[in-house]
Amino acid sequence: NSKSVKRFAFLFEQCILICKKGEHSSLEIQHLLDFESYEVVERFDPPGGGKFSFGWSMKQRLDLLAPAYNIMVKTSDQAAVWMAKLEEGYSLLCNPSHHKTPHSFKLKDFNTYTRCSVCGELLSGIFAQGLACSVCQLACHRLCKLGMVDCKRSKNSHSKQGSRQ
């Protein structure tokens, strides 16, 4: 079915939500395209132009018969921003940890001014400003996590090991 249907796409760190307008102008989630299951298979500029002239297709990695989702934007600048953010999300997901002792990162809301442990810049924003390791408490930007040093397990875990010997 190649019929074009108007939907709204929202990009998150590692997925895209596809929504449609419901009753009373509310949005209803129709599909979740998570980056583990979907990949960008092609970029295109549809012939004939039109209001939404730039786009790309996302296809399931494992189900080759499943239909692709074509996502369209109005300008080449918008397409470039989406592509950069998609690449950022894929890089965070796909880069294996190079640490002997990997961190256990979770998104965190910081209530005080906090600096990134990698680049030293402030973690900015209103909520979910960055990542914090639930073990050693180091904080960093999402993109800086790849440059983070090995996790320093809590001092308590080291002292317990030392007392056993």
Side-chain angles (χ1 to χ4, degrees):
N1 184 357
S2 62
K3 183 182 174 193
S4 179
V5 179
K6 184 177 181 179
R7 297 286 186 255
F8 300 90
F10 298 93
L11 177 63
F12 291 90
E13 189 170 294
Q14 293 180 353
C15 72
I16 295 176
L17 286 180
I18 307 293
C19 301
K20 74 171 190 173
K21 266 195 178 172
E23 293 181 30
H24 310 293
S25 297
S26 64
L27 293 175
E28 298 173 359
I29 297 172
Q30 294 295 299
H31 303 283
L32 174 107
L33 309 180
D34 66 285
F35 293 175
E36 288 182 353
S37 303
Y38 287 83
E39 64 184 336
V40 175
V41 291
E42 70 175 311
R43 290 185 65 176
F44 53 86
D45 303 332
K51 190 173 182 180
F52 292 88
S53 299
F54 302 89
W56 61 94
S57 293
M58 295 191 71
K59 186 131 178 82
Q60 282 189 15
R61 293 178 191 270
L62 299 177
D63 186 357
L64 300 177
L65 299 177
Y69 290 91
N70 294 328
I71 299 175
M72 308 295 296
V73 294
K74 291 180 180 178
T75 68
S76 62
D77 289 342
Q78 289 174 337
V81 169
W82 271 83
M83 284 296 117
K85 291 298 182 182
L86 285 168
E87 288 173 16
E88 179 182 311
Y90 279 112
S91 72
L92 290 174
L93 178 72
C94 297
N95 283 341
S97 175
H98 61 280
H99 297 106
K100 292 178 185 171
T101 313
H103 291 274
S104 181
F105 285 119
K106 304 280 185 230
L107 273 177
K108 182 170 180 182
D109 297 333
F110 294 94
N111 298 324
T112 60
Y113 292 110
T114 305
R115 292 196 176 274
C116 174
S117 298
V118 176
C119 72
E121 296 292 322
L122 282 174
L123 300 173
S124 60
I126 298 171
F127 60 92
Q129 300 95 330
L131 303 169
C133 177
S134 60
V135 177
C136 70
Q137 307 309 313
L138 283 180
C140 66
H141 295 103
R142 290 178 189 98
L143 288 178
C144 289
K145 89 175 193 178
L146 299 175
M148 186 67 88
V149 297
D150 282 350
C151 180
K152 308 277 191 268
R153 301 294 175 187
S154 70
K155 292 176 184 172
N156 293 340
S157 66
H158 292 299
S159 62
K160 286 179 186 175
Q161 289 174 352
S163 63
R164 289 183 194 155
Q165 294 174 348

